[in-house]
Amino acid sequence: MDAKKGVTTKILIWMCAGLILGSLINAVASDVAFIQDYLVNGLFHVLGALFISLLKMLVVPLVTFSLICGVCGLGDINKLGRVGLKAFLLFLLTTALAITLAITVASIVGPGQGFELSESSASNFTAPVAPPLTQVIIDLVPSNPIAAYANGNMLQIIFFTILFAVCILMVGEKARPIAEAAERLNEVMMQVVTVVMHIAPYGVFALMAKTFSLQGLGLILPMISYFAVVAIVLLLHATGTLMILFKLFSKLDPLVFLRKMRTAQIFAFSTSSSNATIPVTLRSVEKRLGVDNSTASFVVPFGATINMDGTAIMQGVATVFIANVYGIDLGITGYLTVIGMAVLASIGTAGVPGVGLIMLAMVLNQVGLPVEGIALIMGVDRLLDMMRTAVNVTGDAAITTIVAKSENSISVETFNDPTAGHVEEVHLPHLHKNDSAT
Ligand code: ASP
């Protein structure tokens, strides 16, 4: 049993160790040059960056092969459209619910009321530029698929790969070897994910140690009301709203779901990127929750790109906070605009660290709040980014499972099996024995 607990527990322990060590360094050694140079900006930085690259390295090939398998596995183009539409509508619904909850709670608690605006905090801040919505739509289609792959543009990659896979189906017999090759390559990529998960505890440790030695927890204090409201709404959404929808639509046990999502949540938390977490989310959803590759391969990367409940929550609370600080009353139409804009904004931006702030600039602009207000919340954004990314990933997986259940493409037996998909020790086969049969 203990051996089976293996990797997830180990990652969790190393994560806490990183957090504690990082906070300690921040508290007592933030100006000890040796520690900063060799540990924080040396060892932790290198290990953390290596780990993030390792994860990102997997995303594009994994999504491509997995998506080709998924579409070919469906064998039915209508089903693809249906799955896509269901997922899209559910993503919109959860994001809208998330931001509505955020605005409601924030309006009641009133973070930022009585906050003293210091001139310096907002003065030298340049607002990030948000892409216009028309460009977001045009950019769905890659003018050059190789460039889309080279830049890791997820929506473009998804668009091209689906079209390519649908055409494999249309060509039929002649193209079957390509579908088979994709299946084998997908199998291999999944194995690469498993191998990377064995290295993960140390990567997670380094990321946590670096972030917390630079950030510390002290920054939270002056921002405590804003920080606490975002954190509470994130928790309410992940364990309340999402789980009620999950139970209602899928009739599966939310507690089992949450338990099995722990690994993906930790990865999301420590990397702050739903995109970089795609390999782990895909693995958890397929191997741990029992969702068919045909649904997971499409809905998970789609969700990582367009579904950001946690980010929408931060934006809702931040809007109320900034409006309070500047003493501006947005009124009900203002808040409805915020809800609409936040939902649209989450579609157009990829799940990478810090992107939520760029989207926030777009939202603030739209309702006429000063974009410089972002400078006020930047200090705690790194930490909130980690938390909201975990919620974003939870939302992606919950919707994937709901859609899979409605399409009958989930193994309920695997879902309910507590040990399904556990990462256990990697056994390197003796290559000369040629024992590849499984
Ligand atoms: N880091 C978040 C994600 O990858 C996006 C954000 O809120 O900045 O999902």
Side-chain angles (χ1 to χ4, degrees):
M1 187 68 200
D2 274 332
K4 284 210 168 136
K5 274 200 168 165
V7 173
T8 304
T9 314
K10 208 167 154 191
I11 295 176
L12 202 58
I13 294 170
W14 280 87
M15 178 176 116
C16 295
L19 194 151
I20 295 168
L21 181 65
S23 305
L24 272 179
I25 291 179
N26 183 272
V28 298
S30 55
D31 32 49
V32 180
F34 173 79
I35 290 190
Q36 293 299 324
D37 293 348
Y38 290 99
L39 223 50
V40 179
N41 295 313
L43 188 68
F44 298 161
H45 174 67
V46 173
L47 278 183
L50 275 177
F51 175 57
I52 296 260
S53 298
L54 213 50
L55 281 174
K56 285 191 181 158
M57 170 186 89
L58 306 178
V59 177
V60 171
L62 184 64
V63 169
T64 306
F65 301 136
S66 178
L67 202 47
I68 296 178
C69 291
V71 174
C72 294
L74 277 178
D76 174 0
I77 298 164
N78 290 331
K79 193 169 171 194
L80 182 69
R82 209 171 54 232
V83 167
L85 188 68
K86 272 188 204 169
F88 184 67
L89 293 178
L90 282 168
F91 285 149
L92 290 191
L93 173 74
T94 53
T95 309
L97 286 176
I99 186 159
T100 310
L101 182 68
I103 291 180
T104 312
V105 175
S107 300
I108 296 169
V109 179
Q113 275 165 358
F115 189 92
E116 279 183 34
L117 193 59
S118 72
E119 276 309 311
S120 63
S121 58
S123 56
N124 48 18
F125 173 73
T126 36
V129 189
L133 198 62
T134 42
Q135 197 56 40
V136 169
I137 297 170
I138 295 171
D139 285 346
L140 280 179
V141 181
S143 56
N144 175 356
I146 306 290
Y149 275 89
N151 298 325
N153 185 323
M154 285 322 285
L155 282 184
Q156 295 190 345
I157 292 176
I158 293 175
F159 181 88
F160 178 76
T161 312
I162 289 182
L163 187 62
F164 184 80
V166 166
C167 292
I168 293 179
L169 284 178
M170 289 166 80
V171 170
E173 199 49 40
K174 258 192 178 166
R176 180 172 301 175
I178 300 180
E180 283 168 3
E183 212 164 288
R184 288 170 195 193
L185 286 163
N186 186 40
E187 200 59 43
V188 176
M189 285 309 298
M190 272 290 180
Q191 186 60 40
V192 184
V193 178
T194 310
V195 171
V196 169
M197 285 178 79
H198 282 83
I199 308 163
Y202 317 109
V204 167
F205 167 79
L207 285 176
M208 297 297 288
K210 176 163 184 228
T211 306
F212 281 85
S213 41
L214 293 178
Q215 281 268 312
L217 293 168
L219 265 178
I220 298 175
L221 287 176
M223 299 294 299
I224 201 84
S225 63
Y226 166 73
F227 189 91
V229 175
V230 179
I232 288 168
V233 181
L234 285 175
L235 198 68
L236 278 178
H237 183 74
T239 56
T241 317
L242 275 179
M243 289 308 103
I244 292 172
L245 288 178
F246 184 83
K247 180 79 195 164
L248 225 58
F249 286 128
S250 75
K251 311 269 184 293
L252 295 166
D253 186 350
L255 290 179
V256 174
F257 170 83
L258 284 177
R259 201 171 317 126
K260 292 192 169 190
M261 278 306 293
R262 216 174 43 181
T263 314
Q265 286 166 338
I266 297 174
F267 271 74
F269 184 81
S270 50
T271 60
S272 294
S273 167
S274 340
N275 261 13
T277 311
I278 289 176
V280 185
T281 317
L282 257 182
R283 192 189 179 284
S284 298
V285 166
E286 288 185 21
K287 310 274 187 222
R288 305 272 287 130
L289 300 172
V291 175
D292 267 9
N293 165 264
S294 59
T295 306
S297 65
F298 173 37
V299 184
V300 167
F302 191 40
T305 319
I306 73 160
N307 181 49
M308 294 182 195
D309 297 355
T311 306
I313 288 171
M314 175 278 284
Q315 290 170 347
V317 181
T319 313
V320 176
F321 177 76
I322 292 171
N324 282 344
V325 169
Y326 285 90
I328 299 169
D329 184 14
L330 282 183
I332 193 86
T333 27
Y335 284 121
L336 287 178
T337 315
V338 172
I339 295 177
M341 281 307 294
V343 173
L344 287 179
S346 75
I347 298 176
T349 31
V352 291
V355 80
L357 281 190
I358 302 181
M359 287 149 61
L360 180 61
M362 189 165 152
V363 174
L364 293 179
N365 247 330
Q366 195 67 28
V367 290
L369 282 176
V371 178
E372 303 79 56
I374 292 181
L376 302 173
I377 55 168
M378 271 179 104
V380 283
D381 198 65
R382 182 72 191 86
L383 214 53
L384 286 178
D385 196 4
M386 301 168 96
M387 295 164 63
R388 66 182 183 247
T389 308
V391 175
N392 289 346
V393 165
T394 310
D396 301 341
I399 304 298
T400 309
T401 315
I402 292 175
V403 173
K405 184 75 194 325
S406 76
E407 289 289 328
N408 240 336
S409 60
I410 181 169
S411 153
V412 177
E413 203 181 313
T414 308
F415 182 92
N416 288 324
D417 173 4
T419 59
H422 256 301
V423 179
E424 288 164 35
E425 286 312 304
V426 202
H427 298 293
L428 292 178
H430 298 289
L431 296 175
H432 62 273
K433 270 202 206 154
N434 194 19
D435 53 357
S436 60
T438 48

